[in-house]
Amino acid sequence: MLTRFAPSPTGYLHLGHAYAAARAFEFGHCLLRIEDIDHTRSRPRFRDAIFRDLRWLGFDWPEPVRVQSGHLADYAGVVAALGARDLTYDDYTTRRGEADMSRPPAIKLSVDRCIDVLGAASLSFSDRGRDIPVDLRALPDPTLERRDIGTSYHVAVTHDDALQGITDIVRGTDLFSETGVHRLIQALMGWPEPRYHHHPLVMETAERKMSKRTGSQTIRSLRDSGMSATEVLDLAEARAEG
Ligand code: GLU
């Protein structure tokens, strides 16, 4: 059994990450993966801080750490393979809904064509031991290559989970709704089906989850304030919903 903790270096880790890391690393065998495909938001200083903060919290992982930005050709290969099966299409639509042909398009997966190829309109995944159905007809066509970064989270995360032999995916419930798309890509690519364990989130307020963008309490600021690693992990646990 193998899991992974897969933060994106787009900000400093906060209490929510401390909780998520504890859930993943307590699993037993856990890899660390840096998900930095978004070059518009990822920064080396945040990546370095991830290593430092996790070590300070007491976690340890095997080397080498997979850093996704070094493997963009792998992700392009997945999209090309799906394209060769006529499952993708180019989308020139901007966020404002206009067509802009002056830039490379986004590449999307046609869920209708996937349903034909799979010969089924539903899939399922295991979450904390429960079987969760996925109605493919309810899925909007997912983006496989974003216009701004040339790849996508969905492709990179499913590719790497398969490549690294991840059997169990421990991550927050904020990603529960993405799992249907991940199952679809796994089914199309013939990749193994991991078990999912979506855990509760640490909330900033009753309505709002912790976020790098809103400047939630970072692990480094808590460390600098004199808290011990155990106190930070206990605080994260206490603030987790449910
Ligand atoms: N890199 C993602 C994030 O930071 C997590 C990916 C995953 O666990 O599937 O939110």
Side-chain angles (χ1 to χ4, degrees):
M1 298 220 296
L2 183 67
T3 192
R4 70 335 187 246
F5 181 58
S8 298
T10 54
Y12 292 113
L13 298 187
H14 52 61
L15 269 186
H17 295 104
Y19 181 76
R23 298 288 74 78
F25 282 100
E26 75 185 1
F27 196 80
H29 297 286
C30 181
L31 305 182
L32 175 64
R33 187 164 75 216
I34 300 293
E35 301 211 324
D36 60 344
I37 54 169
D38 186 347
H39 59 80
T40 67
R41 293 172 55 216
S42 298
R43 299 285 177 269
R45 71 174 185 283
F46 294 139
R47 185 182 62 200
D48 295 345
I50 287 172
F51 297 137
R52 179 168 183 219
D53 290 347
L54 292 178
R55 286 219 174 85
W56 178 76
L57 285 170
F59 303 120
D60 201 8
W61 51 86
E63 301 283 348
V65 169
R66 185 168 171 92
V67 178
Q68 289 190 325
S69 57
H71 302 281
L72 299 179
D74 291 5
Y75 313 134
V78 175
V79 180
L82 294 169
R85 291 160 67 190
D86 204 21
L87 296 175
T88 67
Y89 62 93
D90 294 348
D91 185 0
Y92 287 91
T93 318
T94 63
R95 285 209 184 119
R96 278 193 256 134
E98 296 149 7
D100 173 4
M101 311 291 278
S102 68
R103 292 194 304 131
I107 299 182
K108 288 195 161 183
L109 186 65
S110 165
V111 175
D112 280 347
R113 282 184 232 155
C114 295
I115 291 172
D116 289 345
V117 163
L118 293 173
S122 65
L123 291 169
S124 66
F125 61 91
S126 156
D127 181 49
R128 287 179 280 186
R130 282 180 312 139
D131 204 36
I132 309 292
V134 179
D135 177 5
L136 296 179
R137 291 204 180 88
L139 283 188
D141 288 350
T143 298
L144 300 181
E145 278 186 16
R146 279 168 42 181
R147 295 185 96 167
D148 53 348
I149 63 170
T151 184
S152 69
Y153 158 63
H154 297 313
V155 169
V157 81
T158 51
H159 173 276
D160 284 359
D161 287 335
L163 179 81
Q164 297 189 293
I166 303 298
T167 58
D168 292 81
I169 294 182
V170 179
R171 64 183 183 187
T173 50
D174 53 334
L175 294 171
F176 182 88
S177 58
E178 312 292 349
T179 310
V181 172
H182 297 176
R183 276 298 301 127
L184 175 56
I185 296 172
Q186 288 156 358
L188 292 168
M189 296 301 293
W191 290 334
E193 178 183 345
R195 289 177 290 269
Y196 289 86
H197 308 266
H198 290 99
H199 59 69
L201 301 179
V202 173
M203 303 302 281
E204 177 133 8
T205 65
E207 296 81 36
R208 205 171 65 206
K209 66 172 182 149
M210 290 265 163
S211 157
K212 289 175 196 151
R213 285 182 220 191
T214 55
S216 298
Q217 269 180 324
T218 61
I219 294 170
R220 67 197 322 252
S221 67
L222 296 169
R223 177 173 65 232
D224 291 348
S225 77
M227 280 177 83
S228 70
T230 309
E231 285 166 341
V232 170
L233 289 168
D234 285 349
L235 179 62
E237 183 94 34
R239 295 263 290 272
E241 51 169 17

